[in-house]
Amino acid sequence: MEIDDPRTPVPAADPEASATGPHDLTEPPTPAGPHTLDDLAADAWSLTEGTPRAVLGLAGPPGAGKSTLARALVAHLGEGAAYLPLDGFHLSNVQLERLGLTARKGSEPSFDVWGYVDLLRRVLDETVRDIYVPDYDRTLHEPVAARHLVPPAARLVVTEGNYLACDLPGWRDAHVLMGECWYVETPGGVRQERLVERQLAGGRDEAQARDWVATNDDPNGQLVEKSRDRCHRALSTIGMDPSRF
């Protein structure tokens, strides 16, 4: 499937056009796939029709492959797309300690959801200037400012994170700003392996890594799974051609 090259000039959008909420959901999403990256990129790019800029959300439990897919879509679409990870809105370790959330880092209340909502609004409203986007550094174990950029040329912003479809304060406000939100799911055993490897790479030993996954990542994933029916489609990167990523 071919996709319009986002680097090709497009007709100016109606100045009266504004971001609308997500497309109507008439029934729970059913798993679909395997998809090709071409197919998903074409579907993502279609969200920009009739609007200066659109946001695609990728929700799903920890370790499902959201960031991998988001980065792949942005790379495939080129300068017409930009990446905005929720992980940049992790609270700092100082704030987690203040709130008693150090052992629940990555849980729903450990994010600055209102800061995230404000940035989503900015990327939809401010389309003529550079907008800087924070990230999370897994070496520093802290959020870092301005690692990513949404330039004026970006007509699609791909954002990803665990809680994007949750029916909770703040997350509801984020969800309505997305043209669509897709649910990325992966078999539990695959996710567990990925999550343990992530913790090992972050400096924990085997026992600590498995304990963190059991006491933190697993409960977070259970909360996220409840949001699946609020997504427009469910998909998996399992079976996709890794050479295209």
Side-chain angles (χ1 to χ4, degrees), residues 96-180:
L96 293 176
E97 184 175 1
R98 179 182 67 86
L99 295 169
L101 290 171
T102 299
R104 295 289 285 121
K105 190 173 189 175
S107 63
E108 183 271 328
S110 72
F111 287 87
D112 175 16
V113 62
W114 296 111
Y116 176 66
V117 170
D118 285 345
L119 188 59
L120 290 183
R121 289 192 178 119
R122 279 192 65 203
V123 301
L124 290 172
D125 293 342
E126 301 176 22
T127 58
V128 296
R129 61 173 62 88
D130 287 341
I131 297 177
Y132 296 99
V133 175
D135 198 4
Y136 183 79
D137 192 298
R138 293 189 181 278
T139 301
L140 298 174
H141 303 290
E142 290 276 17
V144 294
R147 178 170 284 176
H148 301 290
L149 172 69
V150 178
R155 294 194 55 220
L156 180 72
V157 175
V158 183
T159 185
E160 53 83 16
N162 295 342
Y163 308 106
L164 272 52
C166 285
D167 190 13
L168 295 168
W171 305 107
R172 286 190 290 264
D173 300 73
H175 189 256
V176 78
L177 296 172
M178 300 171 193
E180 287 191 358

Side-chain angles (χ1 to χ4, degrees), residues 179-200:
E180 287 191 358
C181 187
W182 300 350
Y183 190 88
V184 183
E185 55 189 1
T186 299
V190 175
R191 289 200 305 106
Q192 289 284 322
E193 182 178 346
R194 291 174 178 173
L195 292 169
V196 169
E197 289 177 354
R198 181 184 296 175
Q199 296 305 316
L200 292 172

